[in-house]
Amino acid sequence: MSESPIPFDTVLDLCGDEHRRIILAVLAAEQRSLMVNDLRSTILTHNHHMPVTDASEEVLTEIQSSLHHTHIPKLESAGIIEYDSERQLVEPTEQFDQLQPHLSAILGTDPNLDEPIEL
């Protein structure tokens, strides 16, 4: 049985932050569960244009903190991901699959996401 659809305003709110758009884009592209470190690396590579090996500890901590305290909880409370804190694993839900048409349209208009988001 499928969940009720997520209101469009909620979808827009979820896409309102650049880090969340990157998370949503990589989840859409990969179509599988991802480790939090994978998300952090993707944000660092795509938003800060550097590999993890070149990032300062301060930048890594800031991204990791924003994932744990802001972005993952927001996406999880909307029901589009499940988060396993023990395994540090983010898994898209059926709700996420239902969002694909909206996400494609919204993410497709972001000039910062012109390149495909990859791990």
Side-chain angles (χ1 to χ4, degrees), residues 30-63:
E30 293 292 322
Q31 294 290 307
R32 63 183 176 91
S33 302
L34 297 172
M35 302 295 294
V36 172
N37 283 344
D38 293 333
L39 299 176
R40 181 188 70 182
S41 297
T42 303
I43 289 169
L44 187 64
T45 300
H46 201 80
N47 195 36
H48 298 274
H49 308 286
M50 70 175 71
V52 172
T53 54
D54 291 347
S56 71
E57 195 60 39
E58 181 181 329
V59 169
L60 292 172
T61 301
E62 181 257 312
I63 293 170

Side-chain angles (χ1 to χ4, degrees), residues 6-100:
I6 295 175
F8 188 66
D9 286 343
T10 301
V11 175
L12 291 175
D13 183 48
L14 293 174
C15 293
D17 181 88
E18 185 173 22
H19 286 184
R20 276 196 303 278
R21 288 192 301 276
I22 293 169
I23 293 166
L24 293 168
V26 74
L27 285 170
E30 293 292 322
Q31 294 290 307
R32 63 183 176 91
S33 302
L34 297 172
M35 302 295 294
V36 172
N37 283 344
D38 293 333
L39 299 176
R40 181 188 70 182
S41 297
T42 303
I43 289 169
L44 187 64
T45 300
H46 201 80
N47 195 36
H48 298 274
H49 308 286
M50 70 175 71
V52 172
T53 54
D54 291 347
S56 71
E57 195 60 39
E58 181 181 329
V59 169
L60 292 172
T61 301
E62 181 257 312
I63 293 170
Q64 191 82 13
S65 179
S66 72
L67 284 169
H68 284 290
H69 297 291
T70 305
H71 306 305
I72 290 173
K74 188 164 191 133
L75 295 170
E76 187 175 38
S77 70
I80 63 170
I81 64 163
E82 289 182 3
Y83 175 57
D84 182 337
S85 60
E86 282 186 26
R87 294 173 42 214
Q88 294 289 296
L89 192 67
V90 173
E91 183 174 359
T93 64
E94 283 185 29
Q95 286 282 84
F96 182 85
D97 294 338
Q98 294 173 10
L99 290 181
Q100 290 295 343

